[in-house]
Amino acid sequence: MDNGRMIRINDEIQRELSEVLRSGIKDPRLTAMASVVRVETTTDLKFCKAYISILGDEEQKAKGMEAINSAKGRIRSSLASSINLRQTPEFTFILDDSLDHSFKIQQLLDEV
């Protein structure tokens, strides 16, 4: 599969996944804002790693990831209906703390 097509597929999955996280999960554990930072799909489209950033403290992040992982089946079926792929990939959700890390670095730089 060519690289351009994989980029388009990853972008489409990221866009639709962001929409599902924003409006499709009604779990009270997901109180903070969650966003999809990056999506990596295997070339055979069977598996997908989704890097999720959740604003809040460590407890909110943990509860948010629990909510997302427990809704994995609903998320996959929702994406299957909105994305035109032969098969919908199996998702692995990974907490991405890179935004928090960059904020901490910026705060340290501002203090200097």
Side-chain angles (χ1 to χ4, degrees):
M1 205 176 291
D2 68 68
N3 196 27
R5 182 168 185 255
M6 286 308 301
I7 291 170
R8 287 192 308 272
I9 289 172
N10 285 336
D11 287 347
E12 182 67 20
I13 290 173
Q14 182 177 354
R15 191 172 28 260
E16 293 296 327
L17 184 57
S18 294
E19 183 60 34
V20 170
L21 290 182
R22 188 172 27 260
S23 62
I25 298 178
K26 303 298 181 202
D27 194 313
R29 293 177 291 183
L30 189 59
T31 56
M33 188 178 102
S35 59
V36 182
V37 177
R38 184 171 86 244
V39 170
E40 295 175 356
T41 309
T42 58
T43 55
D44 61 2
L45 302 177
K46 289 187 178 186
F47 301 99
C48 180
K49 290 181 184 176
Y51 296 87
I52 309 294
S53 176
I54 299 175
L55 295 179
D57 59 19
E58 294 303 316
E59 183 180 346
Q60 288 175 319
K61 290 178 184 181
K63 287 182 179 182
M65 288 305 291
E66 284 177 21
I68 291 170
N69 281 312
S70 69
K72 196 180 285 192
R74 287 190 307 268
I75 292 170
R76 187 174 185 212
S77 65
S78 180
L79 287 175
S81 66
S82 62
I83 297 177
N84 187 17
L85 293 175
R86 189 170 296 157
Q87 68 181 28
T88 305
E90 190 71 38
F91 286 93
T92 301
F93 296 106
I94 300 166
L95 183 62
D96 188 325
D97 284 334
S98 62
L99 292 176
D100 288 339
H101 186 68
S102 64
F103 286 138
K104 288 178 186 173
I105 290 173
Q106 186 61 44
Q107 285 177 338
L108 291 173
L109 290 172
D110 290 342
E111 290 173 5
V112 173

